[in-house]
C-alpha cells in the first residue's frame, strides 16, 4: 500500500507514512498539517513531519519519482484500530498553485 499507520504501544506515538508520487514537473512542496479522527470521534493533529530523512523542510519532489512522507502523532489511544478520516494539508512554493489537501478514509492502524 502507499500508506501505512504504525503505532508504538508503549509511547502512544503514531507514525503515518505516505508514499507520494509526482507525475508532473519537479516542484517544491511544503506540508503544513495533518489531522485524523477515529471512529469514536477523537481527533488528533500534527505539524511534525519528515520527508525521507529530511525534517521539516521544503523538498523538491522530482518529476516521475516517489518520496516518503511521515507524519508523527503523539498521545494516540491504543484503542484506535482504524482511522476514519485523515487529511493532510500542503501548499506548493510554485506561485499560482493553490493550497491543496488530500484525504484518506478507513485506514488500519497497526500497534507494535
Amino acid at each position: 500500500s502507499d500508506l501505512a499507520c504504525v503505532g508504538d504501544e508503549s509511547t502512544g506515538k503514531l507514525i503515518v507514512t505516505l508514499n507520494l508520487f509526482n507525475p508532473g514537473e519537479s516542484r517544491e512542496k511544503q506540508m503544513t498539517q495533518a489531522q485524523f479522527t477515529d471512529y469514536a470521534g477523537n481527533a488528533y493533529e500534527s505539524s511534525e513531519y519528515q520527508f525521507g530523512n529530511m525534517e521539516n523542510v521544503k523538498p523538491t519532489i522530482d518529476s516521475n519519482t516517489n518520496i516518503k512522507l511521515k507524519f508523527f502523532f503523539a498521545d494516540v489511544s491504543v484503542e484506535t484500530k482504524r482511522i476514519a478520516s485523515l487529511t493532510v494539508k500542503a501548499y506548493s512554493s510554485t506561485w499560482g498553485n493553490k493550497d491543496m489537501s488530500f484525504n484518506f478514509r478507513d485506514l488500519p492502524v497497526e500497534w507494535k
Side-chain angles (χ1 to χ4, degrees):
S1 164
D2 287 335
L3 198 145
C5 308
V6 180
D8 182 328
E9 282 179 356
S10 60
T11 64
K13 282 191 186 285
L14 178 69
I15 300 175
V16 175
T17 304
L18 297 172
N19 194 7
L20 295 180
F21 179 73
N22 178 16
E25 62 195 52
S26 296
R27 69 193 82 185
E28 282 187 357
K29 268 285 183 248
Q30 177 79 36
M31 298 294 144
T32 55
Q33 187 205 44
Q35 60 187 53
F36 76 83
T37 50
D38 63 19
Y39 282 101
N42 299 308
Y44 301 89
E45 70 171 354
S46 173
S47 298
E48 186 188 347
Y49 61 89
Q50 188 177 330
F51 280 101
N53 296 328
M54 304 181 292
E55 290 188 35
N56 296 340
V57 292
K58 281 193 293 194
T60 297
I61 305 177
D62 294 326
S63 177
N64 295 312
T65 58
N66 288 307
I67 190 167
K68 278 196 165 72
L69 166 62
K70 292 183 179 182
F71 272 97
F72 302 91
F73 294 89
D75 303 318
V76 177
S77 166
V78 294
E79 300 300 307
T80 306
K81 304 300 186 210
R82 299 190 82 80
I83 289 173
S85 179
L86 167 71
T87 298
V88 176
K89 296 178 183 171
Y91 63 85
S92 172
S93 62
T94 311
W95 290 105
N97 278 21
K98 295 181 182 147
D99 290 1
M100 59 171 276
S101 65
F102 33 102
N103 179 262
F104 302 90
R105 298 291 175 134
D106 194 37
L107 306 169
V109 176
E110 182 184 358
W111 291 95
K112 294 184 175 178

